[in-house]
Amino acid sequence: VGEAAGQGASVMEQGSKAALGWAARDASGHLSPYSFSRVQRDGDVTIKVLFCGICHTDLHIIKNEWGNAMYPVVPGHEVVGVVADVGAGVTKFKAGDTVGVGYFIDSCRACESCRTGHENYCPDVVLASNGVARDGAATQGGFSDVVVVDQDYVVTVPAALPPDGAAPLLCAGVTVYSPMVQYGLNAPGKRLGVVGLGGLGHMAVKFGKAFGMTVTVISSSPGKRDEAVRRLGADEFLVSSDPEQMKAAAGTMDGIIDTVSAWHPLGALLELLKPMGQMVLVGVPSKPLELPAFAICPSGKRVAGNGVGCVADCQAMLDFAGEHGITADVEVVKMDYVNTAMERLERNDVRYRFVVDVAGSLGAAA
């Protein structure tokens, strides 16, 4: 995350410091200890990493499933940590602050997206992991003891949030919160459908309920009904493979957040929307989805996509989560368990997000 980092006075005196992370070296995706260096520059914040969530994107990257891995690659973009030091000119943070770093750590700051506060859509956005920094170096992510990030791309984590449960909010949380606010799917009394009950889906349910919405979970797995309704507080549950259930719910929803990352038909889901209803895709299937024109044109229904959220959205989401006690449901693991966690993630064996206890295990695991 940033090409460099260090801690305390040693950073200021030497300009760089050895960092320890876990990296993948090839498409096997196997992670092992990796030593490298980070540099703190003017305007940068040096952060001791406490916890880092594991996102499905990390799995895609370390296995080069998108064909863009730059090995060795240290994954991780759901970082919560404590400020260890700040560079010259930093005014937003001080040592001891609890902060977060999400999916991206820089952008061009000059394009229309950046100028209008949507830097997450900047064509030159710099990803926290497996990205290309301004100096041309590959970025390394939060599976490391320390990260360095420009102050403009760091957010404050409210004291009310436990750092382990807050880490996934930096990606999964803002990915669902941002479009809900943008498309007005946060109004009390509106009816929201959430497709899929994984890392993203369970966050959408929590935010929807906190907004005062009527939330329906839509899943192909009937066994998730109790989890969705009794534990997470969803109002209703639909089995997407049951034609009778889907028909009975047709035209009842103001909006749908579709979190599924595997290929699935959209037509039946669009039938659930009211006229001029809004569907937002936040899952990213590798195969193209089919969008029947007659499913949207006669009724004015709309389909949009969303990629995480801007820095301001992320901060607003954290503040809202702090006020309402919203965190991700996590399974905290040590760094030496991370390869097993990746294997379990690949078969969806997690409820609902793995979080690595970086500070509590990285040195011992190495």
Side-chain angles (χ1 to χ4, degrees):
V1 172
E3 176 48 21
Q7 290 182 327
S10 63
V11 175
M12 301 304 294
E13 294 166 4
Q14 301 174 17
S16 66
K17 179 186 180 294
L20 176 64
W22 274 45
R25 272 76 167 187
D26 54 46
S28 71
H30 182 79
L31 295 157
S32 59
Y34 173 61
S35 296
F36 59 109
S37 63
R38 298 192 187 271
V39 177
Q40 178 179 274
R41 299 179 173 86
D42 291 351
D44 284 347
V45 178
T46 296
I47 303 165
K48 176 185 177 182
V49 179
L50 298 179
F51 295 94
C52 186
I54 302 178
C55 176
H56 214 100
T57 296
D58 297 317
L59 184 62
H60 288 309
I61 289 173
I62 63 175
K63 293 202 167 189
N64 201 27
E65 292 175 348
W66 293 340
N68 64 347
M70 296 178 285
Y71 298 112
V73 57
V74 177
H77 57 263
E78 297 180 342
V79 176
V80 170
V82 175
V83 175
D85 191 31
V86 297
V90 172
T91 59
K92 299 179 179 180
F93 303 98
K94 64 183 186 305
D97 289 347
T98 302
V99 296
V101 179
Y103 191 62
F104 60 95
I105 56 164
D106 204 352
S107 62
C108 79
R109 310 176 191 233
C111 68
E112 182 176 359
S113 291
C114 288
R115 292 196 310 270
T116 57
H118 300 289
E119 61 276 357
N120 50 314
Y121 297 128
C122 172
D124 295 319
V125 69
V126 178
L127 303 183
S129 170
N130 199 53
V132 179
R134 291 188 184 186
D135 62 4
T139 59
Q140 305 293 358
F143 284 24
S144 62
D145 57 354
V146 65
V147 298
V148 173
V149 183
D150 184 287
Q151 65 173 337
D152 292 337
Y153 298 82
V154 178
V155 290
T156 297
V157 176
L161 296 177
D164 53 353
L169 300 181
L170 277 300
C171 178
V174 72
T175 295
V176 297
Y177 175 93
S178 178
M180 291 173 76
V181 173
Q182 180 179 354
Y183 294 107
L185 303 181
N186 62 339
K190 281 194 174 183
R191 301 183 66 88
L192 176 72
V194 177
V195 185
L197 195 63
L200 291 168
H202 91 290
M203 293 308 311
V205 173
K206 291 187 177 189
F207 281 120
K209 291 303 297 179
F211 285 134
M213 305 183 75
T214 299
V215 179
T216 299
V217 170
I218 305 156
S219 174
S220 60
S221 303
K224 290 187 177 182
R225 179 184 299 275
D226 284 351
E227 177 77 4
V229 176
R230 293 186 182 179
R231 201 174 73 80
L232 292 175
D235 299 281
E236 299 171 357
F237 185 90
L238 283 180
V239 179
S240 57
S241 58
D242 186 326
E244 292 302 315
Q245 286 190 31
M246 295 293 282
K247 182 179 180 181
T252 63
M253 298 181 188
D254 297 285
I256 291 174
I257 300 291
D258 187 342
T259 73
V260 176
S261 59
W263 186 92
H264 57 288
L266 296 182
L269 296 174
L270 289 165
E271 286 292 321
L272 299 174
L273 288 174
K274 298 176 181 178
M276 299 183 68
Q278 176 75 58
M279 173 184 280
V280 184
L281 305 178
V282 295
V284 186
S286 56
K287 290 176 58 179
L289 297 174
E290 296 178 359
L291 178 60
F294 276 98
I296 58 174
C297 293
S299 53
K301 297 173 184 177
R302 299 161 294 185
V303 178
N306 183 76
V308 289
C310 64
V311 176
D313 283 348
C314 195
Q315 187 62 67
M317 176 275 303
L318 286 171
D319 293 342
F320 183 85
E323 293 169 4
H324 292 83
I326 297 173
T327 57
D329 289 11
V330 301
E331 180 178 339
V332 178
V333 301
K334 302 294 187 181
M335 188 63 80
D336 59 5
Y337 188 80
V338 70
N339 288 301
T340 301
M342 289 292 186
E343 293 172 1
R344 288 179 53 192
L345 176 61
E346 195 164 23
R347 58 179 186 266
N348 295 318
D349 178 22
V350 58
R351 186 185 294 176
Y352 286 97
R353 206 67 153 188
F354 284 116
V355 171
V356 182
D357 179 4
V358 177
S361 66
L362 187 57

